[in-house]
Amino acid sequence: MNRSLLTFVLLITAASCVDRVNFDPPLPAAFAVVIDGFISDQPGPYEVRISKAFDIQSKTSIKQMVNVASISISDNVGNTEELVRVQNGIYRTSSNGIQGTVGRAYKLKIGMLDGRVYESEPDTLFPGGTVDSVYHEFVSSKDLEGKTNYDFDMYFNSTTGSLNHHTFLWKMVGTYQVDTNPEAFKVSCGEAKCPAPLSCSSYTLQNGQLEYYKPCDCCTCWVNIYNDLPLVSDDQLALNGRFTKVKAGKVPLTQWTFMYKVHLEIQQFSLSPQAFTFWRGIKAQKMATNSLFQPLTGKIIGNFHQLSGVEGPVEGIFYASSIKTKSIFIQRSDVPNEGLIPKQSLPFEDSCLTFGNSTNIQPDFWR
Amino acid sequence: MKLFLPLIFILFSISLSAQVLDTKLDGSENGKSLESVLQEFEAKNPVRFYFLPDWISSIQFAEGFEGKTLRTGLTDLFLGTDLNFVELDPNTIVIVKDPTMVLQYNTTLTVANKEQKKIEKVTLGAPGGTGRKTVTFTGKVVDSKTDGPMVGVNVLVNDLKTGTITNIDGQFELKLPAGSHVISFNFINYEERILDLEIYTNGSHDIKLEETPMVLEEIIVQDRTMRDIQTSSIGVTQISIKEIKRAPALLGEVDLIKQIQTLPGVTTTGEAASGFNVRGGSADQNLIMYDGMPVFNSSHVFGFFSTFNAEAVRDVTFHSGGIPAEYGGRMSSVLNIRSREGSYEKWEATGGIGIISTNLAVGGPIVKDKTSIIVSARSTYSDWLINTVKSNYVDLQNSTVTFYDGSAKLTHLFTKQTKLTLSAYVSHDQFRLRGDSTYRWDTKLSTLQFDHEFKGGFNFGVMAGYGSYQYNVLDQNPDTGFDLRYKLEYPTAKTHIGFVRAGHKAEVGFQSTYYNFNPGTFAPTNENSDRKFIQIDRQRSIESAAYISDQFDITKKLNVTVGLRYSLFDALGEADVALYKADAPLATFNQTGTLHVDSGKKIRSFNNPEPRIAFRYAFNEEQSIKIGYNRMFQYLHLVTNTTAITPVDIWQPSGYYFKPQLGDQLSAGYFRTFTKKGYESFVEAYYKTMNNILDFKDGAILLLNPSLETDLLQGKGRAYGVEFSVKKSTGRFIGALSYAYSRSFRTIIGTFPEENINDGREYRSNFDQPHVVNLSWRYNITRRYFFTGGFTYHTGRPITLPLTAYSIQNFTVSAFSDRNQFRIPDYHRLDIGLVVEGNHKRRKILDGTWTFSVYNVYARRNPYSIFFKEARPGILRPYRLAVIGTALPSLSYSFKIG
């Protein structure tokens, strides 16, 4: 009986399928210039990155940075500062230069090498309120295979600072330390694996033996994790100017995240209406992904317009924001049972810099 | 040649002078028979009238002839009859009779006898009775088993080559010259009835049609023939339930909505998608009525199957243009479904067993000839199948697909003219995929209807009903569990008075519906859930309408239907309406305050006239042209950012910010039948404008949004197209081929740039599918075996695609094209089926039919949905979900007991 039933069900379920569809849309006549930057009430320097949009069909999404002829930030009270190129497509203000002030409006003007000039709409810097507390809850969940996973769900409470203004963007930045063993790196030599310590490690190979020759540059790193979605404020979460128990994201319990501890910072960015609309658009697009009912997400409206030159598309935003932060450490002892922390069975024989969003420079807060 | 002899005499006589014929009548002839008046003339004047007394025995002078000449009097009296008079000389007048009608009468009866058709002799009045020159013959056509009125029955006066069709109450009215006529009554899958009618006075006679126990030659899927030629209604289709059952169907499930999707001008946005789109309109612009109550979600399993059990349905009428004044509230079409009544004579059961569901309908008399009941139910066992299978596939084990629907109808006849009907309908769905959220949606309808037919062609009906539609999304995750609930309740009252008399078919009525919306309640399901309780404010409104319509002949060839609907809509408090800055876009961050409206007070009112008019000019009994215009207002909007209807869509009433949608449609058509060859054809063209249609802003978030006005935009639309159809409806091979070319566009221009779509330029609507072809056929292999099939093709619908990507801070995002700039792949599909009916013995207890069909024969992967997955963070790739990606065979058995 079950056999025949299975036939029926397979007939039904096997009938459906999901496959890639190639629309082969024509490439746009020109790829948009993408401008990404902000100014805040925190001391500078501030960074503006200029790149080009890329073909979504391409298999590699390497961001092509774009150099410009001139770039300046100005406010509505007559202050202007030219930014200086620090890398291809990356421009900075000076550390003691212009700084955002609540109530003022800021705009960015860019002159491209081909003569085009873009300018952002003035963006007003609204008060930032405060992040009052950051806290976590240890939770477990089962995946579709039935395996139990453990995480720390991160929450915060914050205050808007003004009952009339409650458009915010929150970022969660988690940092954890990882130790790896790049000196144990091996390469294929015939059918076997031969030691080949990485040059960034402390050791070199001498006569088949590892010999210490310098401090390691890639044995210890600090890895950043971010929230997947831009977390923008929702009016429904605001009550009398307070946001309570807003979920910022999660920190998974893995062999790496809790080698030592996790630093977690909540950054609260005040947003102007136009910046809020921009970030909300990104959030909507991210949320729509994978939905079978095909929510149609459209264009994300930035705040740049072209002043002169041959017409060319532009994307991105330059906004002004008051930033408030609060951070905590989550210790291994916060895990209800340390036995739940996965053990590392073998050393990781590679550079710690192979972790995404990692750096070998110890952050100040880690000391 | 003999037939033209009287005509030659007539022409000849015109040149003769005639003193007697110019004699003025003095009024003394009032009330006298023509024969006696002529005899008096002979006595007083040197004149002789030649005639056969039988010919004029039913004719007498009424009032109003005084002062007219005898010539005028005779002309008036003979008008509409086959009689005429000829002056051979000034003193000799011959009354002649055109033998055509008599010959036709005799021929029709002879043929009917030869074909052993049922002929009923009926005599109304007697020769020499009232003696009126034309009489009115009325009646009602009912199903012999159920006594239910039959709508759309062709009533043909064979000797006069004229006819009509029965109205929604099964009634018909004919104007006939007094005398003998042969009238035939035809309806698909019913035995033809012939009436040998001798009529001399106004009279009425009811007809009972018997369902044919064997396959008729003339089987048509969409019966538009006589309706198209004879009435001014344009864009009306009567759906044959029996034919729907014989068509190949997805998994063998008989589906009314899928059948609608094969009509010219009707499209669907994807394979197995819920709802349908008519002439460039969105799915919410279709009014689906079940026993007079609107249905807000007509789909099981997200659109795989419709919620209507064919065993419980009596008839289905679909209006895509020329919508009668009786209907309103939607801009594009009306699908009117009426459920069956139980038989008043005997108990019977019908049902079907398929691989997905089983259905059963049982009905019969509670009190014979007085009270009947019918109960039907359909349920799936897909859930049981899924859970019975031992599988390591977690997705399957944690999934559930359940649906059922049921209906009941209790009817009591106080007299033949007075009926009380209690009807109830329920539909339920439950769906969970991969063990996360469970979707449930339910529709409940109930109506109580009282109908009475008065003497003299008046009828009266009053209905009270209650409807509700609700959905619920339940997530049991211990950390994120939530329970989302949406509910719409709509008690409704309707009344109408109809009048079928003196060449007019008029109706006046009033309808009112109270809507009570709970737009969303969102609550955590347990203490550990991080979800917050959200309650979107309730919305209340009343939609009412009064209407009047009339259908009548201006001349014998020109028929007109005029109607006026006057609709009123009040959005009611209690509510807190958000107010925004006047000089800024509608956005939550531009809110300045709220306006409190007390309970029961009007937030905003709308009242609008909706004129409807349609003309038909019949060149002859085989050709006609029609022109129709209708204006429709729609006060409820489906808020969605998807192309197909989903269970979690929101219905939003018009109010402070949302204006009612307005649609104006002009349509014209040419209709042609080739009776001898058995072909029917038509071509219809239309142009439609739409105002205040909704579209969503880029990046809109619609679910649980208390400020929907900030994420939605209203603008204009237009649609135009031309539809062709040719159908062969007789012979062993029958079929229909239709083609539609149709376009549909939108333009959204707001006050501010962010309130524009595509920078304010006109863009293709989601339903712009220019080319649509449908082909269906049935070949009678034998009397019991039929090979059926269908092919459908339509242009892929428009889609918005990501073209480039870029990074902003830590996020990579996709940049989309202009709205609806591209198209998904074209849709086409071939289905075939073999129908094996039981033996055709008239008297048998069990009548069964096997249907074997193959859906999507060449395994085309038509998309149900095009969605986007991340190839890498922020890099979206389009994927096609083809829910039926292979050829899908099915076997079903339907039966009838009793």
Side-chain angles (χ1 to χ4, degrees):
Chain A
M1 184 63 182
N2 266 352
R3 200 177 170 80
S4 57
L5 288 173
L6 181 62
T7 310
F8 278 132
V9 171
L10 287 179
L11 272 174
I12 300 162
T13 54
S16 63
C17 62
V18 172
D19 58 356
R20 269 289 307 277
V21 191
N22 243 332
F23 285 95
D24 290 327
L27 282 176
F31 287 101
V33 172
V34 181
I35 304 162
D36 172 15
F38 65 89
I39 185 171
S40 76
D41 57 354
Q42 301 298 306
Y46 309 114
E47 213 169 73
V48 175
R49 292 167 180 258
I50 301 149
S51 59
K52 260 193 173 180
F54 50 88
D55 178 12
I56 203 164
Q57 300 296 327
S58 76
K59 291 184 178 170
T60 55
S61 56
I62 298 166
K63 192 158 65 172
Q64 186 188 344
M65 304 308 287
V66 176
N67 292 329
V68 299
S70 63
I71 177 167
S72 62
I73 296 174
S74 58
D75 63 19
N76 58 346
V77 292
N79 300 311
T80 299
E81 180 175 345
E82 290 288 330
L83 281 73
V84 177
R85 184 164 75 96
V86 291
Q87 285 181 43
N88 279 344
I90 301 177
Y91 295 82
R92 266 189 204 148
T93 58
S94 61
S95 54
N96 55 354
I98 193 167
Q99 182 172 346
T101 304
V102 171
R104 290 186 187 172
Y106 296 86
K107 63 182 180 182
L108 183 76
K109 189 173 182 180
I110 292 178
M112 307 297 291
L113 295 172
D114 62 4
R116 283 175 291 162
V117 177
Y118 297 108
E119 188 177 66
S120 64
E121 299 293 334
D123 198 63
T124 303
L125 201 155
F126 284 84
T130 54
V131 181
D132 301 322
S133 59
V134 179
Y135 51 100
H136 52 73
E137 289 179 4
F138 187 77
V139 295
S140 64
S141 59
K142 286 194 174 178
D143 62 18
L144 293 176
E145 281 77 38
K147 186 183 162 195
T148 303
N149 296 310
Y150 299 97
D151 310 283
F152 280 96
D153 282 349
M154 303 306 306
Y155 298 92
F156 65 88
N157 297 335
S158 79
T159 310
T160 62
S162 163
L163 286 178
N164 296 325
H165 178 252
H166 35 78
T167 48
F168 292 94
L169 169 71
W170 291 291
K171 291 180 183 175
M172 182 192 85
V173 185
T175 308
Y176 58 89
Q177 180 182 329
V178 295
D179 295 337
T180 62
N181 301 87
E183 70 280 2
F185 194 78
K186 293 183 179 67
V187 294
S188 297
C189 50
E191 291 184 0
K193 293 273 187 181
C194 300
L198 296 178
S199 59
C200 62
S201 71
S202 301
Y203 294 85
T204 182
L205 201 62
Q206 295 290 334
N207 301 319
Q209 298 295 316
L210 291 175
E211 283 194 12
Y212 180 89
Y213 77 108
K214 69 172 180 62
C216 182
D217 295 327
C218 58
C219 294
T220 299
C221 290
W222 288 264
V223 182
N224 284 338
I225 51 174
Y226 305 98
N227 43 329
D228 301 332
L229 291 174
L231 193 59
V232 292
S233 53
D234 183 338
D235 284 347
Q236 292 172 41
L237 301 180
L239 188 65
N240 299 323
R242 287 182 58 81
F243 294 98
T244 307
K245 202 180 181 186
V246 179
K247 188 173 179 180
K250 60 173 57 187
V251 177
L253 187 70
T254 70
Q255 55 177 320
W256 300 111
T257 51
F258 281 87
M259 264 187 156
Y260 300 97
K261 59 186 176 183
V262 178
H263 177 267
L264 201 123
E265 182 176 80
I266 299 296
Q267 303 168 350
Q268 175 165 300
F269 291 68
S270 67
L271 295 179
S272 67
Q274 63 180 355
F276 177 79
T277 304
F278 179 85
W279 283 108
R280 188 173 180 261
I282 293 179
K283 180 186 176 187
Q285 184 183 106
K286 298 279 178 190
M287 287 176 65
T289 306
N290 296 336
S291 168
L292 287 183
F293 294 118
Q294 194 210 332
L296 297 167
T297 54
K299 295 178 177 175
I300 294 166
I301 301 165
N303 67 347
F304 280 93
H305 58 274
Q306 190 169 350
L307 292 179
S308 61
V310 179
E311 193 172 335
V314 60
E315 303 274 8
I317 191 165
F318 178 77
Y319 60 100
S321 184
S322 170
I323 303 176
K324 305 297 176 193
T325 64
K326 192 162 192 75
S327 60
I328 59 167
F329 278 102
I330 312 173
Q331 308 289 346
R332 284 173 65 93
S333 58
D334 289 323
V335 179
N337 176 1
E338 279 202 39
L340 295 175
I341 302 172
K343 302 273 188 308
Q344 194 173 344
S345 53
L346 290 169
F348 185 71
E349 301 167 348
D350 206 338
S351 163
C352 65
L353 291 168
T354 56
F355 283 76
N357 300 316
S358 62
T359 176
N360 55 5
I361 301 169
Q362 189 182 48
D364 292 344
F365 56 73
W366 202 264
R367 296 189 180 99
Chain B
M1 187 62 193
K2 286 177 184 176
L3 300 179
F4 295 102
L5 214 51
L7 188 63
I8 294 169
F9 283 132
I10 291 167
L11 293 171
F12 177 69
S13 67
I14 291 170
S15 62
L16 298 176
S17 61
Q19 293 174 348
V20 174
L21 284 172
D22 293 331
T23 307
K24 289 200 173 178
L25 300 170
D26 58 8
S28 62
E29 66 284 346
N30 285 357
K32 294 178 181 173
S33 70
L34 174 60
E35 186 177 0
S36 62
V37 171
L38 295 181
Q39 285 168 352
E40 285 176 15
F41 265 93
E42 284 180 337
K44 293 177 184 172
N45 301 285
V47 63
R48 286 296 305 274
F49 293 94
Y50 293 90
F51 55 87
L52 284 177
D54 282 353
W55 293 356
I56 62 169
S57 58
S58 63
I59 302 174
Q60 68 180 47
F61 282 90
E63 289 184 2
F65 283 88
E66 188 176 351
K68 291 183 178 179
T69 63
L70 178 60
R71 182 192 305 277
T72 308
L74 288 176
T75 304
D76 286 354
L77 286 172
F78 292 159
L79 189 67
T81 72
D82 51 359
L83 298 177
N84 212 320
F85 61 94
V86 177
E87 290 177 76
L88 289 184
D89 61 56
N91 298 322
T92 308
I93 294 155
V94 180
I95 294 177
V96 295
K97 188 167 185 172
D98 179 355
T100 311
M101 290 164 68
V102 175
L103 286 173
Q104 183 66 43
Y105 170 83
N106 289 332
T107 305
T108 307
L109 278 183
T110 305
V111 170
N113 271 316
K114 200 177 284 182
E115 293 176 353
Q116 296 183 323
K117 289 180 179 172
K118 287 184 180 174
I119 302 172
E120 186 182 2
K121 175 73 181 172
V122 173
T123 303
L124 296 171
T130 62
R132 294 179 65 159
K133 58 191 176 194
T134 54
V135 291
T136 303
F137 176 53
T138 58
K140 183 174 181 178
V141 182
V142 297
D143 184 300
S144 65
K145 286 188 176 171
T146 66
D147 276 338
M150 295 179 64
V151 58
V153 174
N154 294 332
V155 184
L156 185 66
V157 186
N158 290 276
D159 48 312
L160 300 179
K161 292 284 184 190
T162 61
T164 185
I165 57 164
T166 54
N167 65 13
I168 199 151
D169 299 312
Q171 294 165 330
F172 66 89
E173 184 192 81
L174 291 167
K175 294 283 180 197
L176 302 170
S180 298
H181 304 282
V182 180
I183 301 175
S184 62
F185 296 82
N186 287 290
F187 194 73
I188 50 176
N189 303 323
Y190 281 75
E191 286 191 357
E192 184 181 20
R193 289 291 298 271
I194 304 286
L195 202 62
D196 180 4
L197 177 68
E198 206 172 323
I199 185 166
Y200 301 99
T201 179
N202 292 342
S204 180
H205 184 76
D206 292 345
I207 301 291
K208 284 191 174 185
L209 288 189
E210 198 169 317
E211 198 172 1
T212 178
M214 57 200 297
V215 180
L216 291 175
E217 288 295 293
E218 56 286 316
I219 291 167
I220 44 182
V221 176
Q222 297 99 34
D223 179 25
R224 297 182 62 152
T225 322
M226 184 57 80
R227 180 186 291 275
D228 281 344
I229 301 297
Q230 295 296 335
T231 77
S232 50
S233 304
I234 186 165
V236 185
T237 305
Q238 192 80 30
I239 307 293
S240 158
I241 297 296
K242 191 159 188 172
E243 283 315 300
I244 290 175
K245 290 180 182 177
R246 283 173 173 157
L250 171 61
L251 293 168
E253 289 296 314
V254 178
D255 197 319
L256 304 181
I257 301 294
K258 295 281 183 295
Q259 194 65 31
I260 294 296
Q261 290 171 354
T262 66
L263 299 178
V266 184
T267 59
T268 170
T269 53
E271 180 77 88
S274 181
F276 52 92
N277 305 99
V278 180
R279 293 182 170 177
S282 53
D284 69 311
Q285 292 175 358
N286 307 313
L287 175 64
I288 301 175
M289 308 260 284
Y290 191 88
D291 280 344
M293 290 294 288
V295 177
F296 285 86
N297 189 336
S298 60
S299 295
H300 283 311
V301 199
F302 295 104
F304 268 64
F305 314 111
S306 78
T307 55
F308 307 112
N309 179 0
E311 297 296 343
V313 172
R314 188 179 85 194
D315 54 55
V316 181
T317 312
F318 179 63
H319 301 264
S320 59
I323 295 170
E326 176 189 354
Y327 303 111
R330 300 289 189 281
M331 281 207 311
S332 286
S333 76
V334 175
L335 179 65
N336 191 21
I337 301 165
R338 297 201 302 173
S339 66
R340 273 172 61 192
E341 290 179 6
S343 170
Y344 292 94
E345 293 177 359
K346 63 172 183 174
W347 284 89
E348 60 185 16
T350 58
I353 301 166
I355 62 173
I356 286 294
S357 75
T358 289
N359 64 76
L360 182 66
V362 180
I366 295 175
V367 179
K368 197 172 181 187
D369 294 331
K370 279 284 179 191
T371 308
S372 80
I373 189 169
I374 184 167
V375 178
S376 72
R378 176 172 60 157
S379 181
T380 181
Y381 22 77
S382 53
D383 205 29
W384 176 75
L385 287 173
I386 286 170
N387 289 313
T388 306
V389 176
K390 288 185 173 62
S391 164
N392 292 326
Y393 184 53
V394 178
D395 285 3
L396 188 62
Q397 284 184 338
N398 290 331
S399 297
T400 178
V401 180
T402 307
F403 68 81
Y404 65 79
D405 54 61
S407 66
K409 196 166 195 175
L410 179 69
T411 314
H412 178 72
L413 296 173
F414 294 101
T415 66
K416 262 196 156 184
Q417 287 76 35
T418 308
K419 184 168 76 174
L420 186 67
T421 308
L422 179 64
S423 169
Y425 166 86
V426 62
S427 161
H428 170 79
D429 267 79
Q430 182 167 314
F431 181 91
R432 184 177 68 238
L433 188 63
R434 304 199 312 179
D436 47 13
S437 299
T438 303
Y439 295 81
R440 293 195 190 103
W441 59 101
D442 293 89
T443 297
K444 289 172 189 159
L445 305 173
S446 56
T447 58
L448 181 64
Q449 169 125 13
F450 175 81
D451 293 289
H452 181 73
E453 289 173 29
F454 297 96
K455 285 183 180 174
F458 285 94
N459 59 77
F460 167 77
V462 59
M463 186 203 90
Y466 169 82
S468 76
Y469 169 63
Q470 60 184 354
Y471 66 73
N472 156 233
V473 184
L474 184 67
D475 189 321
Q476 297 281 24
N477 187 306
D479 304 315
T480 59
F482 66 87
D483 186 356
L484 167 67
R485 290 177 183 274
Y486 173 94
K487 189 169 186 181
L488 163 60
E489 295 172 286
Y490 48 104
T492 299
K494 295 180 179 181
T495 184
H496 77 271
I497 296 172
F499 172 77
V500 182
R501 196 173 178 184
H504 288 264
K505 183 190 161 196
E507 188 168 291
V508 57
F510 178 79
Q511 306 160 348
S512 188
T513 301
Y514 174 75
Y515 296 104
N516 186 1
F517 295 86
N518 175 10
T521 304
F522 186 82
T525 48
N526 60 71
E527 286 181 356
N528 295 326
S529 172
D530 61 354
R531 304 301 152 128
K532 295 179 176 4
F533 180 83
I534 298 169
Q535 172 67 61
I536 309 291
D537 290 343
R538 282 182 175 271
Q539 296 165 329
R540 300 163 188 86
S541 49
I542 294 179
E543 181 175 0
S544 305
Y547 66 91
I548 183 166
S549 68
D550 190 15
Q551 181 180 327
F552 56 94
D553 289 330
I554 294 175
T555 69
K556 195 174 177 184
K557 291 186 171 183
L558 183 61
N559 178 275
V560 63
T561 301
V562 289
L564 178 67
R565 181 181 178 87
Y566 198 86
S567 56
L568 303 100
F569 190 88
D570 294 323
L572 303 174
E574 181 179 10
D576 287 310
V577 180
L579 300 175
Y580 301 93
K581 291 176 188 167
D583 56 348
L586 283 188
T588 52
F589 46 74
N590 287 326
Q591 186 175 339
T592 56
T594 55
L595 171 70
H596 181 78
V597 182
D598 290 335
S599 177
K601 301 282 184 189
K602 291 177 184 176
I603 298 170
R604 182 148 280 189
S605 290
F606 305 96
N607 55 87
N608 294 294
E610 303 177 33
R612 321 274 168 89
I613 190 160
F615 295 95
R616 178 230 60 195
Y617 183 83
F619 298 104
N620 49 47
E621 63 269 22
E622 291 193 328
Q623 292 183 76
S624 70
I625 56 168
K626 297 180 187 183
I627 296 175
Y629 163 79
N630 57 252
R631 164 168 281 204
M632 310 275 286
F633 278 88
Q634 179 167 340
Y635 298 99
L636 301 183
H637 318 267
L638 186 69
V639 175
T640 179
N641 55 357
T642 66
T643 49
I645 290 180
T646 73
V648 293
D649 288 338
I650 302 156
W651 287 87
Q652 170 72 35
S654 295
Y656 195 84
Y657 290 105
F658 296 108
K659 297 173 192 164
Q661 299 179 50
L662 161 64
D664 286 295
Q665 181 176 210
L666 182 66
S667 43
Y670 171 71
F671 302 84
R672 178 81 164 99
T673 60
F674 302 87
T675 312
K676 287 181 182 170
K677 293 180 179 176
Y679 285 95
E680 302 145 18
S681 62
F682 70 83
V683 52
E684 271 185 41
Y686 64 92
Y687 186 85
K688 189 157 73 166
T689 60
M690 295 165 271
N691 283 302
N692 301 326
I693 50 173
L694 281 183
D695 214 331
F696 59 92
K697 280 184 184 174
D698 286 334
I701 296 173
L702 303 179
L703 195 62
L704 288 170
N705 185 342
S707 312
L708 276 172
E709 63 276 8
T710 63
D711 270 336
L712 295 170
L713 302 166
Q714 287 197 293
K716 293 181 177 178
R718 68 186 179 105
Y720 58 86
V722 58
E723 299 157 359
F724 303 89
S725 173
V726 60
K727 184 165 55 188
K728 181 176 181 295
S729 54
T730 60
R732 290 184 76 175
F733 179 84
I734 62 168
L737 173 66
S738 69
Y739 167 76
Y741 175 78
S742 58
R743 302 306 308 269
S744 172
F745 301 96
R746 303 276 189 268
T747 307
I748 308 280
I749 306 176
T751 312
F752 303 93
E754 50 268 61
E755 294 175 342
N756 294 340
I757 293 179
N758 288 0
D759 300 322
R761 285 173 277 119
E762 184 176 72
Y763 62 98
R764 300 187 284 217
S765 80
N766 287 336
F767 324 104
D768 179 51
Q769 293 168 292
H771 303 286
V772 181
V773 177
N774 281 301
L775 172 67
S776 62
W777 70 84
R778 207 186 84 192
Y779 179 71
N780 298 359
I781 302 167
T782 68
R783 289 187 162 230
R784 290 176 49 210
Y785 290 77
F786 315 113
F787 172 59
T788 64
F791 172 78
T792 185
Y793 165 89
H794 53 74
T795 314
R797 64 174 167 76
I799 189 173
T800 311
L801 287 179
L803 298 179
T804 63
Y806 56 89
S807 294
I808 291 284
Q809 293 172 25
N810 297 309
F811 301 103
T812 301
V813 295
S814 295
F816 277 72
S817 65
D818 279 348
R819 180 83 55 98
N820 288 343
Q821 187 179 344
F822 298 94
R823 289 187 181 280
I824 70 170
D826 291 349
Y827 180 102
H828 47 92
R829 193 188 79 232
L830 174 69
D831 310 323
I832 56 172
L834 180 69
V835 180
V836 181
E837 295 192 336
N839 69 62
H840 289 141
K841 289 178 183 171
R842 189 178 291 274
R843 305 206 178 277
K844 57 185 172 183
I845 303 237
L846 176 67
D847 184 8
T849 300
W850 287 95
T851 304
F852 173 74
S853 63
V854 181
Y855 188 90
N856 195 19
V857 172
Y858 52 85
R860 165 89 174 165
R861 291 181 176 181
N862 289 306
Y864 168 79
S865 165
I866 299 287
F867 65 105
F868 299 99
K869 286 168 72 172
E870 286 188 315
R872 299 188 300 281
I875 305 297
L876 301 181
R877 296 267 191 271
Y879 281 79
R880 163 178 51 192
L881 170 63
V883 287
I884 311 294
T886 187
L888 203 55
S890 65
L891 182 65
S892 60
Y893 177 72
S894 59
F895 60 87
K896 185 174 177 183
I897 302 170

